[in-house]
Amino acid sequence: MAELLSDTDQGLIRLRDIVQGLRNFSHDGNTERTQYNLNEGIDSTLTVLQSELKNNIKVRCQLATLPTTKCNPGELNQVFLNLIMNACHALSETRDAQIDIATDTEDDNIVIRIKDNGSGIPETVLKSIFDPFFTTKPVGQGTGMGLSIVYGIIQDHQGSINVTSTEGQGTCFEIRLPVVVTQ
């Protein structure tokens, strides 16, 4: 009986964390910009993706202490979701699959790096990855809008996104967002 209660308690704690992660992730559809700590967005995105990452992919986070910045948390959480899901897809056939997520500040910018050790992106494809409807996935498995949406959200936040990739070794997306403080 004690073991059953313990398992039930653990299940309820996981359920609570998932529901809280979904709430944090979605920000209830709010389109307004508010002061937000981007590390919270990364954490809630990882909670939402927990079942996707659980058994196959090791995630290492090195999240520095960040200032809050005025942004749309729901949109930036969508950026994190799209980039981490793309990394998962790139890792589908990788032994010792790993995603490294790091945050830092440089000058007046917040820097977020999402790096995988997956298949990498061919140089001929790299120049088109942010184009709407561009996809390398088979028909019916991707719309080609994920990275285009990411690019638009980052631009809308006055930031930049860069990608470096080596075939067979992995890809790193680096996002730079200005620190914006509410007056």
Side-chain angles (χ1 to χ4, degrees):
M1 185 68 143
E3 186 177 332
L4 180 60
L5 287 173
S6 176
D7 288 349
T8 301
D9 190 47
Q10 290 297 320
L12 289 172
I13 289 169
R14 280 196 306 272
L15 183 60
R16 180 201 65 203
D17 291 346
I18 290 169
V19 169
Q20 185 61 46
L22 286 169
R23 279 188 174 155
N24 290 342
F25 179 81
S26 69
H27 267 269
D28 300 327
N30 189 353
T31 59
E32 290 187 30
R33 295 197 178 193
T34 184
Q35 289 299 125
Y36 187 62
N37 185 318
L38 296 177
N39 285 339
E40 291 177 27
I42 291 169
D43 287 338
S44 65
T45 302
L46 290 172
T47 300
V48 168
L49 292 174
Q50 189 174 16
S51 65
E52 183 78 25
L53 301 167
K54 182 172 33 175
N55 297 324
N56 308 331
I57 301 170
K58 180 179 180 182
V59 178
R60 293 188 319 184
C61 290
Q62 293 182 323
L63 306 180
T65 301
L66 296 180
T68 60
T69 187
K70 189 174 182 181
C71 64
N72 182 312
E75 288 182 349
L76 291 176
N77 289 347
Q78 184 67 50
V79 166
F80 304 144
L81 178 78
N82 288 4
L83 293 177
I84 294 169
M85 282 304 299
N86 279 2
C88 289
H89 295 153
L91 291 164
S92 65
E93 297 183 23
T94 302
R95 278 186 71 197
D96 300 319
Q98 183 170 302
I99 298 173
D100 293 311
I101 302 171
T103 60
D104 205 354
T105 53
E106 293 178 12
D107 301 320
D108 290 331
N109 291 292
I110 295 170
V111 180
I112 301 133
R113 290 181 185 91
I114 300 174
K115 181 180 178 182
D116 66 67
N117 65 337
S119 57
I121 303 169
E123 197 170 320
T124 56
V125 171
L126 208 52
K127 65 183 183 295
S128 303
I129 63 170
F130 296 114
D131 294 347
F133 305 108
F134 179 82
T135 184
T136 58
K137 295 177 184 169
V139 174
Q141 290 187 12
T143 63
M145 292 303 293
L147 289 177
S148 178
I149 290 169
V150 163
Y151 184 83
I153 290 170
I154 297 303
Q155 291 295 303
D156 190 48
H157 282 79
Q158 309 307 309
S160 65
I161 183 167
N162 293 301
V163 60
T164 55
S165 187
T166 303
E167 274 190 88
Q169 294 182 20
T171 302
C172 180
F173 284 89
E174 180 181 274
I175 300 166
R176 290 181 175 269
L177 295 167
V179 175
V180 180
V181 180
T182 304
Q183 302 282 342

